[in-house]
C-alpha cells in the first residue's frame, strides 16, 4: 500500500510542469502573433493597404458637360446646366424605412413605390430615386440627412426656344444621349468624355477625401447652326397663325440663303416642347420639312418651262393656245381653272395653266424632263445628314407613259420634300447653281451648275409676273422688293383616289434683281373656302420673306414702289 504522503509530495511537481507547458504555449502563440503582425505590417504592407483601399477607396466618374447648340449669332438653342440627382443604397435606406415617407413627400413620389423598388434591388449598392431635380429640391433632400440617401452631380439639357425649333434641334434622353434631330446627328460631336477621380468614402458611402484625379472630364464641342433664332421665331409664329386660321392639319416653312445654301429657318406645326417629360405624339416630333413628302402641284411648272426652253422648244414670248381650257391625254381630261385662251410661255406661269404646261411637257423627250428634275435634286436626299431625311420619289423616265409625263408637268406623279423644293427654287435664283443645303455654320456646301445662267435669269423675270397683278401670288408680294414665286395647289391621294383634301404651297425668292433668300411654304389640309396656294400659303410667304429680308439687312430693289408709297402717305 502506497504511502499517502508520497502522493502529496509528487503533485506539486506535476503542477509546475503543466504551468510551464501552458506558459510555453502562450509564449509560442505570442511569438506567432508578433511574427504575423510583423509580416503583415512590414513585409505585406502593400497588400494590407490595397485591401483597405478596396474597402474605402473608390474611383468615381466625373460627368462631362454636353456641348451647346447655338444659332448663327451665338444664341443658345440647346444648353446643359448642372443639376443633382438622388440615389440610394438600398440596404442602408431600408434599415431606416420609417423615413422613406419623408423623402417621398419632398420629392412628390409614392413612398410605397420607392420602398418596393429598393426591396427588389436590395442586393445592389446603387439605385436611382429621381434624376435631375431643381437646386432648391436638392437642398431639401440634403437637409433630411436620411441614411443611405445621396446626391450626385449631373447635367440636364435645356432648350430655350422650346417648341419653336424642336424638330430641327431634336432632344436627348435622360442620360443626355441624342435621340432625334441634330442632337442625334451630331451626338458624337456634342457628347463629351467623362473624367474619373479616386476618392475615399466612409461606411455610409459619403466622399470624405479626394485622393487623386485619374483623368479630367472633356466637355463636348459646341455646334453652331445656320439657323437664325430671330427668323425661326418669326417663321414659327406666322406658320402657327396660318395653320390655326385655316384649320389646317399641319404646315412647314423653310428659308434658305441663296448664296450659301445655309438653312436660316425651318419651322413645323404641330410641334412639341423638348423641355417637357411628355414629348407628345410622334405626329409633332417629325421634321416634316425633311421627312414628309408631297405631290407638289404647280410649284414645279417653272422647272418644266426651264426644260422646254433648254431644249429649244420654247421661249418667254412664245404663244401657246390653251383653248378651251381643257385637253384630253390618254382618255384623261386636263383642266385649267378657266379658259385662258392664248398665253405666252410667261403667261403659262403667271396664270398657272395646266393645259399650257402639259403641251410643253409632251413636246419634249421624256428623258429631258426627267433630267431637269433629277439635276435639281428630286429623287435624292439633299445631303444635310439629318436623320430620317426622305429622298422623295422620281420614277425613271423609261417607265413613264404619256399620261404620267403630262401629270408630272403640273406636280403629280412625283414626291418631294419642302427642302428639296426650296433648294431647286434657289438654283433658279442663283444663276443655275444648285447648292447642298446645310444646318452647320461654315460648312463647305458643294455647288453644281444645273442650268445655264442666262436661262435662270429669264426664269427669274418670268416668275416675277406671278406676284404682280394678274398673277396667282399677288398676296405674296413684299413692299419695296421685287419678288418671284410660284404657287401650287394639289389634291391629296387617299384610299379611294384623289379627294377633297389639298396641299397649298408656294416657293419663291427675293429680291429678283439680286436674289438673296429663297423660301417655301407648305400647308396640309386647309379647311374652309380658301385652299389655293396663293390664298393660303401666299400671305404667309410674304410675311416671312419681309421679316427675313429685314433681319438679313437686304436692301430694297423696288425703289419706284417705295417712292410711290411714300407719296401716297403724304
Amino acid at each position: 500500500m502506497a504511502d499517502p504522503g508520497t502522493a502529496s509530495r509528487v503533485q506539486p511537481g506535476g503542477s509546475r510542469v503543466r504551468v510551464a507547458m501552458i506558459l510555453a504555449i502562450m509564449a509560442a502563440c505570442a511569438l506567432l502573433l508578433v511574427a504575423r503582425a510583423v509580416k503583415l505590417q512590414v513585409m505585406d504592407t502593400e497588400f494590407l493597404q490595397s485591401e483597405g483601399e478596396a474597402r474605402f477607396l473608390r474611383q468615381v466618374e466625373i460627368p462631362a458637360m454636353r456641348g451647346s447648340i447655338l444659332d448663327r449669332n451665338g444664341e443658345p438653342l440647346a444648353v446643359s446646366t448642372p443639376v443633382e440627382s438622388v440615389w440610394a443604397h438600398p440596404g442602408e435606406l431600408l434599415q431606416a424605412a420609417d423615413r422613406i415617407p419623408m423623402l417621398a413627400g419632398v420629392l412628390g413620389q409614392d413612398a410605397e413605390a420607392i420602398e418596393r423598388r429598393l426591396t427588389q434591388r436590395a442586393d445592389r449598392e446603387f439605385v436611382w430615386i429621381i434624376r435631375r431635380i431643381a437646386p432648391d429640391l436638392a437642398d431639401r433632400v440634403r437637409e433630411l440627412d436620411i441614411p443611405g440617401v445621396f446626391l450626385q452631380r449631373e447635367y440636364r439639357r435645356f432648350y430655350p426656344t422650346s417648341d419653336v425649333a424642336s424638330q430641327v434641334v431634336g432632344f436627348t434622353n435622360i442620360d443626355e444621349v441624342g435621340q432625334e434631330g441634330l442632337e442625334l446627328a451630331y451626338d458624337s460631336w456634342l457628347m463629351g468624355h467623362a473624367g474619373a477621380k479616386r476618392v475615399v468614402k466612409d461606411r455610409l458611402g459619403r466622399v470624405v477625401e479626394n485622393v487623386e484625379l485619374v483623368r479630367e472630364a472633356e466637355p463636348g464641342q459646341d455646334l453652331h447652326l445656320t439657323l437664325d433664332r430671330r427668323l425661326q421665331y418669326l417663321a414659327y409664329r406666322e406658320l402657327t397663325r396660318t395653320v390655326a386660321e385655316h384649320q389646317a392639319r399641319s404646315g412647314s416653312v423653310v428659308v434658305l440663303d441663296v448664296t450659301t445654301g445655309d438653312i436660316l429657318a425651318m419651322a413645323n406645326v404641330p410641334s412639341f416642347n423638348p423641355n417637357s417629360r411628355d414629348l407628345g405624339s410622334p405626329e409633332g416630333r417629325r421634321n416634316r420639312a425633311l421627312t414628309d413628302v408631297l405631290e407638289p402641284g404647280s410649284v414645279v411648272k417653272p422647272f418644266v418651262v426651264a426644260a422646254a426652253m433648254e431644249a429649244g422648244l420654247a421661249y418667254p414670248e412664245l404663244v401657246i393656245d390653251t383653248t378651251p381650257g381643257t385637253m384630253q391625254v390618254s382618255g384623261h381630261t386636263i383642266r385649267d381653272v378657266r379658259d385662258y385662251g392664248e398665253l405666252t410661255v410667261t403667261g403659262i406661269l403667271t396664270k398657272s395653266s395646266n393645259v399650257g404646261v402639259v403641251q410643253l411637257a409632251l413636246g419634249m423627250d421624256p428623258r429631258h424632263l426627267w433630267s431637269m428634275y433629277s439635276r435639281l435634286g428630286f429623287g435624292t436626299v439633299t445631303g444635310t445628314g439629318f436623320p430620317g431625311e426622305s429622298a422623295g420619289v422620281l420614277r425613271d423616265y423609261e417607265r413613264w407613259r404619256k399620261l404620267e409625263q403630262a401629270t408630272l408637268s403640273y406636280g403629280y406623279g412625283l414626291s418631294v420634300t419642302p427642302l428639296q423644293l426650296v433648294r431647286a427654287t434657289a438654283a433658279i435664283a442663283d444663276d443655275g447653281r444648285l447648292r447642298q443645303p446645310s444646318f452647320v455654320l461654315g460648312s463647305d456646301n458643294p455647288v453644281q451648275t444645273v442650268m445655264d445662267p442666262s436661262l435662270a435669269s429669264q426664269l427669274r423675270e418670268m416668275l416675277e409676273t406671278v406676284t404682280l397683278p394678274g398673277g396667282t401670288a399677288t398676296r405674296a408680294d413684299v413692299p419695296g422688293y421685287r419678288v418671284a414665286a410660284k404657287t401650287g395647289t394639289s389634291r391629296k391621294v387617299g384610299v379611294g383616289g384623289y379627294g377633297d383634301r389639298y396641299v397649298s404651297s408656294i416657293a419663291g425668292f427675293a429680291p429678283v434683281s439680286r436674289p438673296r433668300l429663297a423660301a417655301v411654304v407648305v400647308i396640309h389640309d386647309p379647311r374652309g373656302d380658301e385652299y389655293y396656294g396663293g390664298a393660303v400659303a401666299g400671305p404667309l410667304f410674304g410675311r416671312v420673306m419681309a421679316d427675313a429680308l429685314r433681319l438679313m439687312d437686304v436692301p430694297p430693289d423696288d425703289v419706284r414702289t417705295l417712292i410711290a408709297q411714300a407719296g401716297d402717305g403724304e
Side-chain angles (χ1 to χ4, degrees):
M1 184 174 181
D3 185 357
T6 303
S8 61
R9 287 195 299 270
V10 173
Q11 189 173 3
S15 298
R16 285 196 297 270
V17 172
R18 285 195 295 273
V19 169
M21 291 178 63
I22 292 173
L23 290 175
I25 291 172
M26 293 177 63
C29 289
L31 287 173
L32 288 173
L33 290 173
V34 171
R36 180 62 175 166
V38 170
K39 184 177 186 300
L40 292 176
Q41 297 186 33
V42 178
M43 301 177 66
D44 293 340
T45 303
E46 294 182 1
F47 170 78
L48 282 179
Q49 186 173 350
S50 64
E51 287 295 300
E53 290 179 349
R55 289 168 173 76
F56 296 100
L57 187 63
R58 293 286 188 270
Q59 179 168 301
V60 297
E61 182 180 280
I62 304 174
M65 180 180 288
R66 188 175 177 86
S68 298
I69 299 179
L70 310 169
D71 83 339
R72 65 187 304 109
N73 300 310
E75 296 296 326
L77 300 174
V79 294
S80 292
T81 56
V83 293
E84 291 188 280
S85 296
V86 182
W87 66 277
H89 186 295
E92 295 180 11
L93 182 52
L94 288 172
Q95 291 179 5
D98 59 317
R99 303 190 64 182
I100 292 179
M102 297 173 57
L103 177 65
V106 169
L107 298 178
Q109 294 191 343
D110 181 66
E112 293 183 0
I114 293 178
E115 186 169 357
R116 185 165 54 250
R117 189 160 74 250
L118 293 172
T119 302
Q120 293 171 349
R121 298 164 176 80
D123 58 333
R124 302 183 185 180
E125 295 184 353
F126 185 101
V127 172
W128 287 116
I129 300 297
I130 188 171
R131 305 282 296 276
R132 297 177 173 86
I133 60 176
D136 59 334
L137 197 58
D139 291 338
R140 292 176 61 188
V141 172
R142 190 177 288 107
E143 290 172 359
L144 292 176
D145 195 25
I146 299 176
V149 176
F150 310 96
L151 292 166
Q152 180 169 313
R153 172 64 60 89
E154 291 192 287
Y155 291 96
R156 179 179 180 180
R157 205 65 166 164
F158 177 65
Y159 301 91
T161 56
S162 186
D163 53 352
V164 172
S166 54
Q167 294 102 336
V168 176
V169 176
F171 60 91
T172 63
N173 63 12
I174 197 168
D175 293 313
E176 289 213 318
V177 177
Q179 300 297 295
E180 289 188 19
L182 296 177
E183 289 274 30
L184 172 60
Y186 292 91
D187 188 57
S188 60
W189 176 274
L190 293 163
M191 183 181 292
H193 299 283
K197 63 179 179 179
R198 288 193 178 91
V199 300
V200 174
K201 292 186 176 183
D202 62 14
R203 65 182 184 85
L204 298 178
R206 295 173 297 194
V207 175
V208 296
E209 181 184 354
N210 291 314
V211 178
E212 65 174 327
L213 179 66
V214 177
R215 63 177 181 275
E216 292 186 355
E218 298 180 16
Q221 301 181 75
D222 293 341
L223 183 65
H224 293 263
L225 302 187
T226 58
L227 295 182
D228 187 307
R229 193 169 79 164
R230 302 167 300 171
L231 183 54
Q232 182 74 21
Y233 268 115
L234 292 168
Y236 181 75
R237 181 193 67 190
E238 296 299 335
L239 178 61
T240 302
R241 169 183 166 184
T242 298
V243 168
E245 178 183 349
H246 294 278
Q247 303 176 53
R249 182 174 64 86
S250 62
S252 299
V253 175
V254 184
V255 181
L256 197 70
D257 189 320
V258 168
T259 61
T260 63
D262 287 352
I263 299 170
L264 301 176
M266 182 177 282
N268 298 277
V269 170
S271 187
F272 73 100
N273 182 3
N275 295 306
S276 172
R277 292 184 180 180
D278 179 13
L279 297 174
S281 68
E283 185 80 3
R285 298 202 298 268
R286 293 203 313 272
N287 187 355
R288 298 172 182 273
L290 280 164
T291 63
D292 288 17
V293 296
L294 65 141
E295 289 185 301
S298 298
V299 174
V300 302
K301 287 177 181 175
F303 312 130
V304 180
V305 170
M309 292 173 64
E310 185 180 69
L313 302 175
Y315 52 90
E317 297 79 20
L318 177 67
V319 176
I320 304 291
D321 188 4
T322 67
T323 306
T326 63
M327 67 180 292
Q328 293 293 317
V329 178
S330 301
H332 181 84
T333 303
I334 308 296
R335 300 180 183 277
D336 280 340
V337 174
R338 64 181 179 84
D339 181 5
Y340 292 115
E342 292 186 343
L343 290 174
T344 64
V345 173
T346 298
I348 289 174
L349 293 179
T350 307
K351 299 298 184 180
S352 194
S353 169
N354 292 338
V355 173
V357 79
V358 167
Q359 292 184 53
L360 292 176
L362 294 180
M364 73 180 84
D365 187 288
R367 180 174 183 175
H368 189 70
L369 179 57
W370 175 89
S371 173
M372 178 59 71
Y373 280 165
S374 180
R375 276 180 278 158
L376 289 168
F378 297 152
T380 59
V381 294
T382 63
T384 62
F386 196 92
E389 180 178 359
S390 175
V393 178
L394 175 62
R395 281 164 43 95
D396 189 89
Y397 65 91
E398 293 182 347
R399 300 168 60 189
W400 292 0
R401 296 183 178 181
K402 185 177 181 181
L403 179 58
E404 184 173 3
Q405 184 171 343
T407 58
L408 279 166
S409 68
Y410 55 93
Y412 289 89
L414 77 159
S415 298
V416 300
T417 66
L419 182 60
Q420 287 175 325
L421 273 180
V422 74
R423 182 194 187 196
T425 302
I428 296 176
D430 195 24
D431 285 331
R433 291 186 287 262
L434 186 75
R435 299 180 184 271
Q436 179 176 297
S438 175
F439 284 107
V440 180
L441 195 63
S443 295
D444 181 20
N445 299 336
V447 179
Q448 296 176 315
T449 299
V450 297
M451 189 183 302
D452 186 88
S454 62
L455 174 57
S457 178
Q458 286 180 300
L459 284 171
R460 290 197 295 272
E461 300 292 333
M462 297 165 74
L463 287 172
E464 184 180 7
T465 67
V466 180
T467 65
L468 298 176
T472 61
T474 55
R475 296 171 67 178
D477 71 319
V478 179
Y481 293 89
R482 296 171 58 195
V483 179
K486 184 67 194 77
T487 58
T489 309
S490 58
R491 291 179 182 269
K492 302 188 74 170
V493 65
V495 177
Y498 291 96
D500 293 329
R501 297 171 58 205
Y502 298 90
V503 177
S504 306
S505 58
I506 185 171
F509 51 86
V512 172
S513 60
R514 194 175 181 179
R516 173 67 190 282
L517 301 176
V520 67
V521 175
V522 175
I523 305 296
H524 288 271
D525 295 323
R527 301 176 187 174
D529 296 332
E530 292 186 323
Y531 56 84
Y532 285 108
V536 176
L540 169 57
F541 174 94
R543 293 192 297 268
V544 171
M545 184 60 76
D547 289 335
L549 292 167
R550 174 178 53 83
L551 287 173
M552 302 304 291
D553 293 325
V554 179
D557 65 340
D558 191 2
V559 181
R560 185 174 302 176
T561 301
L562 286 177
I563 294 175
Q565 290 177 341
D568 292 340
E570 292 179 353

